Amino acid sequence: MEQKYSPIDVEQKWQAIWENEKTFKASTDRSRRKYYLLEMFPYPSGRIHMGHVRNYSIGDVIGRFKRMRGYNVLHPMGWDAFGMPAENAAIQNKSHPATWTHENIAYMRNQIKKMGFSYDWDRELATCDLDYYRWEQKLFLEMFAKGLAYKKTSFVNWCPTCETVLANEQVEDGGCWRCDSDVNQKELDQWFFRITDYAEELLEYTYNLPGWPERVLIMQRNWIGKSYGCEIDFPVENSTEPIRVFTTRQDTVFGATFMSLAPEHPRALELTSADQRETVMAFIDKIRKTDRMKRTADDFEKEGVFTGSYCTNPVSGEKMPVFLANFVLMDYGTGAVMAVPTHDQRDFEFAKKYDLPLKVVIQPSGVTLDPATMGEAYTEAGIMANSGQFDGLPSNDAKEAIADFLQTRKQGAKTVNFRLRDWGISRQRYWGNPIPVIYCNDCGVVPVPEKDLPVVLPKDVAFSGEGGSPLARLESFVQCSCPVCGKAARRETDTMDTFVQSSWYFLRFCCPDFNDGILDRDPVDYWMSVDQYIGGIEHAVLHLLYARFFTKVMRDLGHITADEPFTNLLTQGMVIKDGAKMSKSKGNVVDPNSLISKYGADTARLFSLFAAPPEKDLDWNDQGVDGSFRFLSRIWKLVHDRLDMIKNAAPLDIAAITAEERILRRAVHKTIRKVSEDIEDRFHFNTAIASVMELLNILQPAHLPSPQFPAIMKESLQSVILLMAPFVPHITEELWQRMGNSVQLTQAAWPEYDRNAVVDEELLIVVQVNGKLRSKITVSAGTGDDEVKALSLADEKIAQFIAGLTVRKVICVQGKLVNIVAG
């Protein structure tokens, strides 16, 4: 039989078989353990890149491994298909976004299929398809009915290039997350989702997600931004309505000498005197064009303008001028800040610039601060001074005392504040999901009746490149009748943020063909939550936070039972070439098509998995790709060189093997154990592959004149094929068949190592919980104490026993016993 490795022929053969036989089709089966595996679905930009190849290869290893382990695996693929690039392409190419999108989907689907990923293509969905976005409109109406969707006028982040609004999470370093243009502020009527209603739960559950990277959880905690403090009312001169501030430093309130408002504050103009109006208006206009991130940067020059109004410090009784300040944002607290220049650096710089008074109210131990000689604010703890009855108290103790004092006098109240703000979802673009709302002059805001859903995105639109959404200029879409009174009305022309679609697609994958509602509860309850989710860390406070929010909303609306969408999260690293992330602009892109044509998909997969651990950046290396191909060619050649031997091998008689064969067999079973642990416990695919490479180096020259050697070699090579199957499925499937196996490799079980073969290499560890025996585990000889502890905690019996408990200490005694202290 031809021994030369020809990857294209092999790969096309097996891809056709898998597709025709629907090998990876998943269905609900409550008699089996389920495993829902998902990579973040792609935007159909036109071509897949090596970042996609790596991401999907990581997922495919896990999916194929779990399938071989006996799990019922759901591994779907779809398209995050709405968005501005399609609309911009339509303008540039004089085409339609739907045409551009579906052509790209077809091309990318073909590329992905050439990689041999184990997707259930029967579940494929695109968020721009009516069968998907119609149910999202129904969900919007349910949220509207519950008060979770609402409209208000607010200052929003506006991208002048994309000509649309951006959520706070979509502004990165002051620029648009998609095009990098500077973002400014604009006042518009916008639809919002009330994510703040879930702030506490979203924060609390970050401590119940042990399968998530701590880095992502910290990013979400910081974004949610819970802080304990005090709201304080400052009476306004000639007004019955005070200015309310939120502060975490109520211990400094006696030192507040002026008030700073955000230029976007709703009372900014109300508090502006006639003689200051022109100056204030000019300042507000200037700040609207200023990057928000720059405004809060430590090195950004502090600027402001006096409004002409005054308020009164409620504890000192001193008169305080009211300023607008460029460093104060409406996004945090109340948009008003009591300025304490001696104990806040931004206030200090501002006060120095505008010659405002300084008053020290916290003195460091052993030092007396003089405001006249201070070169910077003192922001640490100390002893209270110039603070009336609180003088002499440690400042940390004074926080509680002053909060109680203000609350008793009804001048303030203890409170909790969140940095998180409601999610603005209105987008002034065409290619998105229409918001199902009608505006009537008599009836006001009217939700589209459910019987009239879906509101279909019309196809007959003109893309001229003019500002605003083409929908707003399409009279046949805008003009309608009010469903309440029947009079002439108009439709909402904004569409939903594309992050809305990606916030629940993983739920719809469980029942993509369900036509009687948003979700089919039975399969959703079976498959959810996603057991393993894979994607980039850049989505930590965008998609991942929104998906968690939607899951909780849909649970509360009665559609699902899951509390969280993703049990485990893997954030893979980037693909780097020539020292930079691959991108067209840098000219360092490697085309997967050319790679497949030259080397085959298995080689592309193997290199992307072998070159670095999944969570680390992968440094592209052409020599490494060639090396991966040579390794596969070695496997191919070795199997064919020994093919007649292993086909005619008698059953293995372990009792009859020689000492040399025992050593050889030990190497095989050590490799099985190592690869199993590397995939199951750590996703260390690179070290798993390296272990098989080492084994191949042992097997290739091996030749022992013994009756048992053919059987040993058959077991060894079959083990190599089984171990490599999740990584390189095409070549292994072909070799498995050529070795005479009647069952396809996709149906084969993962190999179990023979404990007797590695008996000298293992130790039995007794695992106790609170001093009582709860399990036993086997570890490799020489395993360190820290790894023994980790393996003990990961043991299935132990994990079940300590679920819900707090692990306080893990003690390893002489490498033979582990005691877990939990309560």
Side-chain angles (χ1 to χ4, degrees):
M1 189 175 289
E2 173 61 46
Q3 295 186 17
K4 185 178 179 182
Y5 176 39
S6 176
I8 303 303
D9 294 338
V10 169
E11 290 170 4
Q12 289 178 349
K13 168 187 171 181
W14 286 104
Q15 287 165 16
I17 290 172
W18 295 332
E19 184 166 356
N20 292 336
E21 296 182 1
K22 295 187 180 294
T23 301
F24 306 112
K25 183 177 178 61
S27 59
T28 302
D29 183 352
R30 296 189 179 277
S31 68
R32 298 175 64 197
R33 295 175 297 173
K34 69 92 180 178
Y35 194 87
Y36 186 178
L37 168 71
L38 189 62
E39 302 94 31
M40 294 180 185
F41 65 166
Y43 181 80
S45 57
R47 302 287 185 274
I48 67 169
H49 50 69
M50 289 311 301
H52 290 121
V53 170
R54 187 187 189 201
N55 190 11
Y56 305 152
S57 295
I58 291 168
D60 203 51
V61 171
I62 299 169
R64 288 176 178 272
F65 174 75
K66 290 294 183 180
R67 187 173 284 105
M68 294 176 78
R69 284 288 206 191
Y71 285 85
N72 185 21
V73 177
L74 171 59
H75 191 197
M77 171 53 72
W79 312 95
D80 191 8
F82 274 138
M84 288 180 286
E87 195 165 338
N88 293 337
I91 295 168
Q92 294 166 9
N93 303 324
K94 296 181 171 29
S95 64
H96 194 282
T99 303
W100 184 86
T101 299
H102 286 292
E103 286 177 352
N104 286 352
I105 288 174
Y107 189 89
M108 291 176 70
R109 182 194 300 116
N110 183 55
Q111 283 186 296
I112 290 173
K113 285 187 174 184
K114 285 183 178 179
M115 292 301 302
F117 298 128
S118 57
Y119 292 126
D120 178 356
W121 285 103
D122 286 353
R123 293 176 183 263
E124 180 184 15
L125 59 80
T127 58
C128 65
D129 290 343
L130 186 62
D131 285 342
Y132 184 84
Y133 75 74
R134 63 179 294 192
W135 300 115
E136 188 169 281
Q137 291 179 4
K138 184 177 186 302
L139 181 58
F140 177 94
L141 295 182
E142 291 183 8
M143 294 176 71
F144 179 78
K146 293 288 187 180
L148 292 171
Y150 67 97
K151 193 171 192 180
K152 70 174 182 179
T153 300
S154 69
F155 283 95
V156 294
N157 305 305
W158 179 261
C159 175
T161 302
C162 297
E163 296 187 80
T164 192
V165 169
L166 303 175
N168 290 340
E169 294 85 348
Q170 293 167 320
V171 180
E172 299 175 350
D173 295 327
C176 172
W177 72 288
R178 192 177 288 281
C179 72
D180 291 329
S181 297
D182 286 344
V183 173
N184 54 45
Q185 298 288 292
K186 189 172 185 177
E187 193 170 24
L188 290 174
D189 285 343
Q190 295 288 290
W191 283 97
F192 289 83
F193 283 154
R194 210 178 294 276
I195 191 174
T196 52
D197 277 10
Y198 287 82
E200 188 68 61
E201 186 181 352
L202 287 167
L203 179 63
E204 177 188 345
Y205 271 71
T206 62
Y207 297 96
N208 297 325
L209 292 170
W212 282 45
E214 187 63 19
R215 179 184 173 194
V216 173
L217 297 174
I218 289 172
M219 291 169 74
Q220 290 209 359
R221 288 168 196 151
N222 291 340
W223 189 261
I224 296 167
K226 184 177 183 179
S227 54
Y228 296 89
C230 196
E231 285 187 342
I232 307 174
D233 288 337
F234 286 72
V236 176
E237 196 175 71
N238 301 318
S239 174
T240 58
E241 185 180 352
I243 295 174
R244 177 164 291 181
V245 305
F246 170 79
T247 180
T248 59
R249 293 298 309 274
Q250 59 268 26
D251 53 326
T252 66
V253 65
F254 281 88
T257 59
F258 62 97
M259 178 68 65
S260 299
L261 301 184
E264 304 90 351
H265 196 285
R267 297 186 68 192
L269 293 180
E270 172 202 327
L271 295 171
T272 300
S273 61
D275 60 325
Q276 287 291 100
R277 182 165 290 271
E278 186 175 341
T279 304
V280 167
M281 290 292 290
F283 180 75
I284 291 174
D285 187 58
K286 175 185 176 181
I287 299 305
R288 285 180 182 176
K289 299 173 184 176
T290 304
D291 174 77
R292 292 174 68 258
M293 296 298 292
K294 288 180 181 176
R295 285 170 58 186
T296 57
D298 290 339
D299 59 352
F300 192 64
E301 184 180 359
K302 311 301 181 284
E303 291 184 329
V305 63
F306 177 46
T307 63
S309 294
Y310 293 87
C311 63
T312 302
N313 187 313
V315 293
S316 70
E318 295 173 4
K319 188 175 180 179
M320 299 165 50
V322 179
F323 279 76
L324 304 187
N326 64 349
F327 59 86
V328 182
L329 303 178
M330 281 301 298
D331 284 356
Y332 185 76
T334 64
V337 174
M338 65 172 202
V340 186
T342 51
H343 302 295
D344 182 276
Q345 187 59 30
R346 294 182 307 175
D347 296 343
F348 181 86
E349 294 172 18
F350 193 91
K352 286 291 187 181
K353 181 169 184 173
Y354 294 102
D355 196 24
L356 295 166
L358 282 70
K359 180 181 178 183
V360 175
V361 293
I362 297 176
Q363 294 283 5
S365 179
V367 179
T368 300
L369 296 175
D370 180 356
T373 59
M374 290 178 70
E376 62 181 3
Y378 176 71
T379 59
E380 304 301 320
I383 305 301
M384 300 294 292
N386 299 316
S387 299
Q389 67 194 68
F390 304 101
D391 283 358
L393 278 178
S395 58
N396 287 333
D397 294 344
K399 285 184 179 181
E400 189 72 15
I402 290 175
D404 291 337
F405 173 75
L406 290 166
Q407 196 155 298
T408 300
R409 296 177 59 176
K410 298 190 179 342
Q411 294 174 319
K414 298 176 188 176
T415 189
V416 174
N417 191 69
F418 290 91
R419 178 176 181 265
L420 183 68
R421 287 293 177 261
D422 283 341
W423 174 13
I425 65 157
S426 294
R427 298 294 178 267
Q428 293 67 43
R429 304 295 290 196
Y430 161 76
W431 191 236
N433 190 0
I435 296 175
V437 166
I438 290 170
Y439 300 102
C440 174
N441 289 336
D442 292 338
C443 305
V445 177
V446 181
V448 173
E450 187 177 330
K451 65 180 180 61
D452 294 337
L453 293 181
V455 177
V456 178
L457 188 66
K459 295 291 180 67
D460 54 335
V461 292
F463 295 93
S464 61
E466 297 176 16
S469 168
L471 278 181
R473 298 189 293 271
L474 188 65
E475 289 297 312
S476 60
F477 177 80
V478 176
Q479 301 301 325
C480 63
S481 298
C482 173
V484 176
C485 69
K487 294 181 181 178
R490 69 187 192 283
R491 291 191 186 280
E492 172 64 78
T493 58
D494 285 353
T495 54
M496 296 188 210
D497 180 7
T498 54
F499 278 96
V500 176
Q501 285 90 67
S502 60
S503 293
W504 71 286
Y505 77 105
F506 46 88
L507 293 164
R508 190 67 189 176
F509 268 143
C510 299
C511 53
D513 298 324
F514 187 61
N515 295 316
D516 296 330
I518 297 173
L519 296 171
D520 185 355
R521 185 67 176 267
D522 183 64
V524 172
D525 283 350
Y526 172 72
W527 289 113
M528 285 296 292
S529 297
V530 175
D531 294 280
Q532 183 65 60
Y533 199 40
I534 305 170
I537 197 167
E538 66 271 16
H539 298 292
V541 293
L542 280 161
H543 162 59
L544 290 171
L545 186 63
Y546 294 153
R548 294 184 61 223
F549 164 60
F550 253 66
T551 299
K552 295 174 188 302
V553 167
M554 296 184 79
R555 174 202 63 196
D556 292 348
L557 291 173
H559 294 296
I560 60 175
T561 57
D563 293 316
E564 287 286 339
F566 316 120
T567 303
N568 297 290
L569 173 67
L570 172 65
T571 53
Q572 88 284 353
M574 296 184 296
V575 179
I576 306 293
K577 189 172 189 288
D578 302 328
K581 179 183 178 181
M582 283 190 183
S583 69
K584 291 180 182 177
S585 62
K586 293 185 174 66
N588 63 349
V589 171
V590 174
D591 180 16
N593 283 1
S594 61
L595 197 65
I596 293 170
S597 298
K598 183 175 181 180
Y599 293 106
D602 280 341
T603 294
R605 293 167 59 118
L606 184 65
F607 175 75
S608 69
L609 295 164
F610 177 61
E615 70 278 6
K616 303 293 185 182
D617 289 345
L618 184 156
D619 198 355
W620 187 264
N621 181 292
D622 291 334
Q623 290 73 31
V625 176
D626 194 57
S628 296
F629 180 77
R630 289 199 305 272
F631 172 63
L632 295 182
S633 298
R634 286 177 60 205
I635 295 176
W636 181 271
K637 185 177 187 306
L638 181 58
V639 169
H640 284 88
D641 285 349
R642 306 291 176 95
L643 201 55
D644 290 339
M645 175 196 295
I646 61 180
K647 277 188 173 182
N648 297 318
L652 177 62
D653 181 0
I654 295 175
I657 64 177
T658 67
E660 289 176 297
E661 289 168 340
R662 198 173 299 279
I663 293 172
L664 182 61
R665 192 164 184 268
R666 176 176 293 165
V668 172
H669 284 270
K670 282 176 63 178
T671 304
I672 294 172
R673 180 182 64 190
K674 178 69 164 58
V675 173
S676 301
E677 291 173 353
D678 281 348
I679 298 177
E680 182 80 69
D681 301 331
R682 296 179 285 272
F683 294 164
H684 286 182
F685 305 141
N686 56 326
T687 57
I689 294 166
S691 296
V692 180
M693 290 178 172
E694 293 172 7
L695 177 61
L696 201 69
N697 290 337
I698 296 172
L699 295 177
Q700 202 156 12
H703 187 81
L704 301 173
S706 160
Q708 293 300 313
F709 182 69
I712 292 281
M713 186 53 63
K714 179 177 182 178
E715 180 191 41
S716 301
L717 289 178
Q718 286 199 337
S719 296
V720 168
I721 299 305
L722 288 164
L723 294 177
M724 290 301 296
F727 304 100
V728 285
H730 308 90
I731 185 174
T732 50
E733 190 78 76
E734 180 68 17
L735 292 174
W736 183 257
Q737 184 187 63
R738 292 191 182 196
M739 291 168 74
N741 295 288
S742 58
V743 176
Q744 282 188 25
L745 189 55
T746 51
Q747 307 302 320
W750 184 257
E752 299 290 341
Y753 74 92
D754 183 348
R755 294 183 183 276
N756 293 323
V758 295
V759 66
D760 296 335
E761 304 289 325
E762 292 187 336
L763 293 173
L764 184 67
I765 306 293
V766 173
V767 185
Q768 298 177 340
V769 177
N770 297 330
K772 294 183 178 180
L773 175 64
R774 296 298 179 187
S775 187
K776 295 177 182 179
I777 63 171
T778 303
V779 301
S780 303
T783 301
D785 285 357
D786 288 343
E787 189 172 356
V788 169
K789 293 176 184 178
L791 292 170
S792 299
L793 290 169
D795 178 71
E796 188 172 348
K797 290 181 182 177
I798 296 298
Q800 291 176 353
F801 191 82
I802 64 175
L805 302 178
T806 300
V807 176
R808 307 191 186 286
K809 190 183 295 184
V810 182
I811 305 165
C812 189
V813 182
Q814 297 179 341
K816 296 180 180 179
L817 181 146
V818 170
N819 185 38
I820 300 167
V821 181

